[in-house]
């Protein structure tokens, strides 16, 4: 195992109870239950820890256990009888009636009893894995029934976790947020975008902070442009209902903006959540808004050709399954450096990556010969977890010839270290149990997201002739118009 250097900050999750509402749903089954199991299995969960699963569907113990087993198997866990048993001992199911105060009063009593049994001191995490429309009523009742403590009280705590998408428009996102804030303080609300929990995303910050060679060149003197790519090989995966309402831009913009911020924000003075969020906020405040004119010139929306044949999709659907756009950041570090973004479904490959493309050599023998961009710093976030730096090197041999080469750091190759590291959801749950909001989105970020996205959506909706919905073949990296978006600036997609 490689020795770590000096700074080693480890989250210590506090003993607590975890209450999962909407426990019969897709998110709960695919992500949250496996993450809870993973934390127990990897011995990262707090020692004193219990889990209450709640949903409206009646479930007896046998049905609950077989659901849990199925969730874990689907997520790739094949626990031994002992470890599954040990997990089950921490779990109980409560049938929910979210409209009834009795449900919350009984829950309050039950949590008190479980606290006593498990050695937990009134510390509770409520995960709302229900449709967003239920967030406000549930949070309100948690508050009115005494399940949300005063955030200033240091001896006990209660936190609420919710997951994007946060609303479907500026107005309803604001109203959703106001509803939550009426019940819970900002310090009690943990808004997840699971991209921030990814190991490779965090490594972007780590590399910049620790290696001055990178941060010193992380600016408009050296970087020509930045590219962000979020490509999915798959299409709708049975989520037509959701996707028809939302489209790709609403679904993906949070991921896009989080990747942009983590790549381009100034380094915070410390890794405390307060400093981190302040720097991230400063970055977002420097992003130039896309007005209607910019939307027409700098954005491309598209739909894959067989999309309308998918079950549940309207024959005249205008939902975009692909988006490309360019934006600028008006601060001293990035002024003049364009950020190009591509995100789409059915693009032929699954790939999330960040590419920082360095300027071409301005002096020496290559000044007058076009060798493209010799230096690209690339972060592959998923499915590969890799950092590469491309450069030009001398070809071995008697002549002075040059060849492109790549230096690579493969996370998976660091097998021993990587084996026990938490998945994105596991990490986010630990951070919430530790009371650290660094990786979670603030109320400001939700508002910014919608202020940034809304003019784009409005331009697409109200001026379709200037912003046509381009077709692209399923399995291709988007329409020709997306190629043109970057080509007209004399550049190409990485
Ligand atoms: N699925 C994903 O991959 C994913 C990804 C990102 C974000 N999210 C977000 O995570 C949350 C859960 O998503 P999901 O896909 O799991 O949703 P879902 O399957 O549609 O719903 C989750 C559960 O909520 C309960 N429910 C349904 N309608 C309800 C209502 N009106 N009031 C209270 N409970 C209700 C249902 O359980 P009972 O009927 O048994 O109570 C259902 O099993 C949503 O906010 C979603 O936007 C999901």
């Amino acid at each position: 195992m490689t020795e770590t250097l000096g700074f080693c900050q480890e989250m210590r999750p506090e003993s607590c109870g975890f209450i999962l509402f909407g426990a019969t749903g897709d998110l709960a089954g695919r992500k949250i239950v496996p993450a809870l199991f993973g934390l127990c299995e990897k011995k990262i969960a707090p020692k004193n820890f219990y889990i209450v699963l709640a949903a409206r569907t009646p479930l007896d113990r046998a049905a609950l256990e077989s659901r849990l087993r199925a969730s874990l198997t689907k997520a790739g866990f094949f626990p031994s009888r002992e470890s599954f048993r040990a997990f089950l001992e921490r779990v109980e199911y409560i049938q929910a009636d979210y409209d009834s105060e009795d449900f919350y009063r009984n829950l309050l009593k039950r949590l008190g009893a479980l606290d006593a049994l498990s050695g937990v001191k009134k510390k509770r995490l409520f995960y709302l894995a229900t449709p967003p429309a239920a967030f406000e009523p549930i949070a309100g009742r948690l508050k009115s029934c005494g399940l949300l403590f005063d955030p200033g009280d240091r001896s006990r705590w209660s936190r609420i976790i919710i997951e994007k998408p946060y609303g479907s428009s500026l107005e309803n996102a604001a109203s959703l947020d106001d509803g939550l804030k009426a019940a819970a303080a900002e310090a009690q609300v943990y808004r997840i975008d699971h991209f921030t929990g990814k190991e490779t995303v965090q490594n972007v910050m780590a590399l910049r902070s620790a290696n001055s060679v990178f941060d010193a060149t992380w600016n408009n003197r050296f970087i020509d442009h930045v590219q962000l790519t979020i490509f999915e090989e798959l299409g709708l995966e049975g989520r037509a209902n959701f996707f028809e309402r939302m489209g790709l831009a609403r679904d993906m913009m949070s991921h896009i903006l989080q990747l942009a911020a983590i790549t381009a924000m100034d380094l915070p003075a410390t890794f405390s959540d307060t400093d981190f969020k302040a720097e991230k906020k400063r970055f977002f405040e420097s992003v130039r808004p896309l007005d209607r004119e910019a939307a027409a010139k700098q954005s491309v929306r598209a739909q894959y050709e067989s999309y309308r044949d998918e079950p549940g999709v309207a024959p005249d659907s205008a939902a975009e399954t692909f988006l490309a756009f360019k934006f600028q950041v008006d601060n001293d570090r990035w002024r003049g450096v364009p950020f190009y973004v591509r995100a789409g479904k059915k693009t032929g490959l699954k790939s999330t990556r960040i590419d920082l493309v360095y300027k071409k050599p301005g002096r020496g023998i290559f000044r007058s010969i076009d060798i493209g961009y010799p230096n690209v710093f690339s972060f592959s976030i998923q499915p590969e977890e890799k950092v590469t730096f491309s450069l030009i090197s001398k070809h071995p041999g008697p002549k002075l010839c040059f060849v492109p080469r790549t230096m690579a750091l493969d996370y998976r190759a660091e097998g021993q270290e990587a084996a026990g590291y938490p998945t994105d959801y596991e990490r986010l749950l630990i951070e919430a149990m530790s009371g650290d909001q660094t990786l979670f989105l603030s109320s400001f970020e939700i508002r910014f997201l919608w202020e940034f996205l809304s003019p784009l959506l409005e331009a697409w909706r109200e001026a379709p002739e200037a912003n046509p919905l381009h077709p692209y073949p399923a399995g291709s990296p988007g329409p020709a118009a997306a190629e043109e978006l970057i080509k007209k600036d004399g550049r190409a997609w990485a």
Side-chain angles (χ1 to χ4, degrees):
M1 179 87 53
T2 318
E3 198 181 324
T4 57
L5 294 170
F7 180 85
C8 191
Q9 185 174 301
E10 190 178 355
M11 285 300 152
R12 299 218 175 273
E14 284 190 76
S15 293
C16 63
F18 187 97
I19 302 96
L20 177 62
F21 292 122
T24 54
D26 178 66
L27 179 75
R30 276 192 316 114
K31 300 290 185 190
I32 313 305
V33 165
L36 291 169
F37 178 78
L39 288 176
C40 296
E41 190 72 350
K42 292 172 191 168
K43 312 256 180 291
I44 310 175
K47 191 162 147 271
N48 301 335
F49 180 54
Y50 63 83
I51 298 165
V52 172
L53 303 179
R56 299 170 306 180
T57 305
L59 285 183
D60 62 19
R61 189 70 196 179
L64 172 71
E65 293 187 7
S66 89
R67 267 175 181 264
L68 292 176
R69 166 81 70 185
S71 279
L72 297 183
T73 309
K74 227 171 163 181
F77 283 110
F78 301 96
S80 65
R81 185 195 286 245
E82 295 71 43
S83 70
F84 188 51
R85 249 322 98 219
F87 179 62
L88 290 178
E89 276 166 20
R90 294 180 189 263
V91 180
E92 77 174 47
Y93 184 79
I94 297 183
Q95 187 179 354
D97 177 356
Y98 299 116
D99 298 329
S100 147
E101 295 220 332
D102 282 349
F103 163 65
Y104 298 90
R105 289 206 192 94
N106 291 335
L107 181 64
L108 180 67
K109 271 195 225 142
R110 187 62 198 144
L111 296 182
L114 286 168
D115 279 357
L117 274 173
S118 317
V120 170
K121 296 195 176 119
K122 294 203 159 102
K123 296 181 173 171
R124 293 154 192 174
L125 209 50
F126 296 96
Y127 200 121
L128 311 191
T130 61
F135 293 170
E136 182 182 345
I138 293 178
R141 285 260 160 73
L142 288 174
K143 169 86 174 172
S144 65
C145 295
L147 283 140
L148 289 187
F149 305 131
D150 178 348
D153 187 342
R154 290 189 168 263
S155 63
R156 52 189 190 164
W157 52 253
S158 39
R159 298 172 187 145
I160 292 181
I161 307 188
I162 57 167
E163 167 126 15
K164 66 130 211 124
Y166 306 101
S168 53
S169 68
L170 178 59
E171 295 69 31
N172 88 19
S175 128
L176 186 94
D177 210 45
D178 289 347
L180 270 175
K181 280 200 232 146
E186 179 69 7
Q188 292 173 305
V189 181
Y190 288 66
R191 302 175 188 85
I192 284 192
D193 176 327
H194 72 276
F195 268 40
T196 66
K198 290 187 182 296
E199 186 74 19
T200 32
V201 171
Q202 299 195 341
N203 193 31
V204 178
M205 273 285 160
L207 279 175
R208 284 178 61 194
S209 323
N211 304 286
S212 48
V213 64
F214 300 135
D215 201 54
T217 61
W218 215 263
N219 55 51
N220 53 10
R221 278 186 59 214
F222 294 93
I223 306 275
D224 180 81
H225 69 280
V226 179
Q227 297 188 20
L228 305 173
T229 307
I230 307 178
F231 274 178
E232 292 177 16
E233 194 172 7
L234 300 173
L236 286 183
E237 293 302 284
R239 294 177 76 212
N241 187 20
F242 168 82
F243 206 79
E244 279 283 277
R245 276 182 292 116
M246 298 294 275
L248 187 107
R250 286 184 178 86
D251 192 28
M252 284 288 159
M253 193 53 84
S254 172
H255 295 329
I256 292 167
L257 293 175
Q258 290 304 314
L259 287 186
I262 285 170
T263 307
M265 63 190 260
D266 281 357
L267 290 173
T270 71
F271 281 122
S272 75
D273 51 3
T274 319
D275 285 350
F276 189 88
K277 277 174 180 265
E279 240 7 296
K280 205 172 181 205
K281 179 166 186 265
R282 248 194 294 279
F283 168 75
F284 284 131
E285 284 168 343
S286 312
V287 172
R288 194 185 303 168
L290 290 176
D291 59 17
R292 188 181 277 227
E293 196 186 334
K297 281 197 196 135
Q298 289 169 217
S299 82
V300 172
R301 60 175 179 143
Q303 188 183 72
Y304 61 83
E305 279 163 357
S306 50
Y307 176 74
R308 292 176 191 180
D309 302 331
E310 301 257 6
V313 171
D316 57 350
S317 170
E320 76 286 350
T321 61
F322 180 98
L323 148 85
F325 65 98
K326 174 171 93 167
F327 70 94
Q328 304 276 349
V329 181
D330 288 324
N331 63 17
D332 288 347
R333 186 187 282 274
W334 295 113
R335 195 164 289 108
V337 176
F339 285 65
Y340 298 94
V341 177
R342 278 184 305 173
K345 287 189 177 295
K346 286 245 172 158
T347 51
L349 80 166
K350 181 175 171 69
S351 172
T352 300
R353 54 186 288 159
I354 302 162
D355 295 283
L356 289 109
V357 182
Y358 280 73
K359 291 185 173 172
K360 297 176 184 178
R363 284 184 293 179
I365 50 171
F366 287 116
R367 192 173 35 130
S368 51
I369 309 167
D370 189 6
I371 52 162
Y373 292 97
N375 305 133
V376 182
F377 204 168
S378 301
F379 294 83
S380 299
I381 310 293
Q382 62 181 12
E384 285 187 319
E385 297 186 323
K386 216 169 165 180
V387 182
T388 58
F389 188 77
S390 68
L391 38 74
I392 301 253
S393 155
K394 182 188 168 299
H395 187 270
K399 294 185 198 156
L400 186 59
C401 308
F402 294 85
V403 280
R405 294 276 188 244
T406 303
M407 298 195 297
L409 181 125
D410 190 339
Y411 256 71
R412 291 288 158 187
E414 312 281 308
Q416 214 185 343
E417 275 109 308
Y421 73 58
T423 63
D424 42 13
Y425 274 92
E426 290 169 7
R427 182 188 305 278
L428 290 164
L429 298 187
I430 304 169
E431 303 266 332
M433 289 174 205
S434 313
D436 190 308
Q437 289 192 315
T438 306
L439 301 182
F440 297 87
L441 278 55
S442 63
S443 173
F444 165 83
E445 286 170 57
I446 305 306
R447 191 163 189 92
F448 172 78
L449 183 158
W450 283 106
E451 282 171 355
F452 183 73
L453 178 57
S454 300
L456 197 65
L457 296 175
E458 201 180 290
W460 291 353
R461 192 177 57 242
E462 291 177 12
E465 57 303 325
N467 302 277
L469 182 66
H470 296 274
Y472 65 98
S476 76
E483 294 298 323
E484 198 45 42
L485 175 79
I486 189 163
K487 203 168 150 196
K488 67 187 179 197
D489 293 346
R491 302 181 173 104
W493 294 110

PDB file of all heavy atoms in Angstrom, residues 47 63 160 183 256:
ATOM      1  N   LYS A  47     -20.490   2.501  13.919  1.00  0.00           N
ATOM      2  CA  LYS A  47     -20.721   1.258  14.676  1.00  0.00           C
ATOM      3  C   LYS A  47     -22.178   1.191  15.133  1.00  0.00           C
ATOM      4  O   LYS A  47     -22.859   0.197  14.982  1.00  0.00           O
ATOM      5  CB  LYS A  47     -19.764   1.244  15.872  1.00  0.00           C
ATOM      6  CG  LYS A  47     -19.711  -0.063  16.581  1.00  0.00           C
ATOM      7  CD  LYS A  47     -18.459  -0.156  17.452  1.00  0.00           C
ATOM      8  CE  LYS A  47     -18.727  -0.967  18.684  1.00  0.00           C
ATOM      9  NZ  LYS A  47     -19.216  -0.190  19.824  1.00  0.00           N
ATOM     10  N   ALA A  63     -41.218 -10.353   2.543  1.00  0.00           N
ATOM     11  CA  ALA A  63     -41.199  -9.594   1.281  1.00  0.00           C
ATOM     12  C   ALA A  63     -40.073  -8.558   1.313  1.00  0.00           C
ATOM     13  O   ALA A  63     -39.379  -8.341   0.310  1.00  0.00           O
ATOM     14  CB  ALA A  63     -42.549  -8.915   1.071  1.00  0.00           C
ATOM     15  N   ILE A 160     -31.805  16.304   6.151  1.00  0.00           N
ATOM     16  CA  ILE A 160     -32.659  15.799   5.059  1.00  0.00           C
ATOM     17  C   ILE A 160     -31.799  15.702   3.807  1.00  0.00           C
ATOM     18  O   ILE A 160     -31.094  16.655   3.466  1.00  0.00           O
ATOM     19  CB  ILE A 160     -33.823  16.779   4.803  1.00  0.00           C
ATOM     20  CG1 ILE A 160     -34.770  16.777   5.997  1.00  0.00           C
ATOM     21  CG2 ILE A 160     -34.567  16.425   3.525  1.00  0.00           C
ATOM     22  CD1 ILE A 160     -35.963  17.698   5.832  1.00  0.00           C
ATOM     23  N   ALA A 183     -39.234  24.369   6.333  1.00  0.00           N
ATOM     24  CA  ALA A 183     -39.163  23.335   7.371  1.00  0.00           C
ATOM     25  C   ALA A 183     -37.751  23.176   7.923  1.00  0.00           C
ATOM     26  O   ALA A 183     -37.561  22.964   9.120  1.00  0.00           O
ATOM     27  CB  ALA A 183     -39.646  22.003   6.800  1.00  0.00           C
ATOM     28  N   ILE A 256     -23.382  18.797 -15.498  1.00  0.00           N
ATOM     29  CA  ILE A 256     -22.488  19.618 -16.326  1.00  0.00           C
ATOM     30  C   ILE A 256     -21.890  20.753 -15.491  1.00  0.00           C
ATOM     31  O   ILE A 256     -20.678  20.985 -15.489  1.00  0.00           O
ATOM     32  CB  ILE A 256     -23.266  20.184 -17.544  1.00  0.00           C
ATOM     33  CG1 ILE A 256     -23.655  19.055 -18.499  1.00  0.00           C
ATOM     34  CG2 ILE A 256     -22.461  21.266 -18.267  1.00  0.00           C
ATOM     35  CD1 ILE A 256     -24.670  19.436 -19.570  1.00  0.00           C
TER      36      ILE A 256
END
